[in-house]
Amino acid sequence: MKKPNYKSLAATVIATVAVAACSVDGYRGNGDDNYFSAFHTFRDTNWDYADTLHFRVDTIRDSISHSGRFLVSVRHTHGYGYSNLWLELSTPLTDSTRRADTLNLRLADDYGRWLGSGMGTSMMVTDTLPGRYDLRRGSDITLRHIMRTDTLDAIEQVGVVFIPND
């Protein structure tokens, strides 16, 4: 019986994960110039309640409003102390009003097993917010956690992706 080549298997797994990780951030939907993504990396893996993340939409080519959907991605370590993460995404409706939506992002199942994908101690979960959003160049998107604790430990990265449907 031939001995398995673990180095080759490990290289294949790493390459597969790398390609999968690029697919969300590198999505262009048939050359769509109205796609937007932005991510924030926490240096100390702590997200304070008062730390609202601001993402400025600067990659959408057209100045007109585009309809689409939002995805939210969270990368965390095994040290995260909860099975979910409550988030609030705020987007502009008009120049003076905003739309705020909440998302309960499940990070672990009922038995404490992490959901999502990742390697080592880092896991990434992505979920789609319900409903359609209108977005245009220059918009300011905010994202914050609305958990009952002031500081969330073991959060490495949080991001938003807008995928237009026009």
Side-chain angles (χ1 to χ4, degrees):
M1 187 164 127
K2 187 175 180 183
K3 189 175 174 181
N5 185 346
Y6 292 110
K7 287 183 182 178
S8 176
L9 178 62
T12 302
V13 169
I14 290 170
T16 303
V17 170
V19 169
C22 292
S23 64
V24 170
D25 201 27
Y27 173 82
R28 287 288 179 193
N30 298 327
D32 193 345
D33 292 329
N34 298 313
Y35 160 87
F36 170 76
S37 71
F39 287 81
H40 176 81
T41 301
F42 297 96
R43 288 185 182 178
D44 58 1
T45 68
N46 293 327
W47 190 1
D48 295 328
Y49 186 80
D51 189 9
T52 300
L53 306 177
H54 293 267
F55 302 109
R56 183 93 172 151
V57 178
D58 56 1
T59 58
I60 290 181
R61 176 178 286 184
D62 297 336
S63 60
I64 62 171
S65 181
H66 293 276
S67 178
R69 63 187 191 274
F70 268 107
L71 286 75
V72 175
S73 293
V74 174
R75 184 179 305 281
H76 64 91
T77 68
H78 293 289
Y80 185 71
Y82 306 97
S83 63
N84 68 334
L85 174 60
W86 281 94
L87 299 169
E88 179 186 81
L89 178 79
S90 176
T91 58
L93 285 174
T94 65
D95 290 338
S96 61
T97 61
R98 296 187 66 80
R99 171 183 175 175
D101 291 300
T102 58
L103 174 66
N104 180 13
L105 191 61
R106 286 192 60 209
L107 302 179
D109 66 14
D110 293 338
Y111 300 101
R113 290 181 297 236
W114 294 116
L115 303 172
S117 61
M119 233 169 45
T121 61
S122 188
M123 302 295 293
M124 184 169 190
V125 174
T126 301
D127 200 0
T128 305
L129 275 92
R132 296 282 178 224
Y133 292 81
D134 291 322
L135 196 63
R136 65 180 172 269
R137 186 177 59 227
S139 297
D140 180 42
I141 300 165
T142 62
L143 183 68
R144 67 185 184 114
H145 85 77
I146 51 174
M147 298 289 283
R148 292 183 181 162
T149 185
D150 282 340
T151 303
L152 295 176
D153 297 327
I155 300 292
E156 295 178 321
Q157 191 175 51
V158 177
V160 294
V161 177
F162 178 76
I163 301 174
N165 56 347
D166 47 72

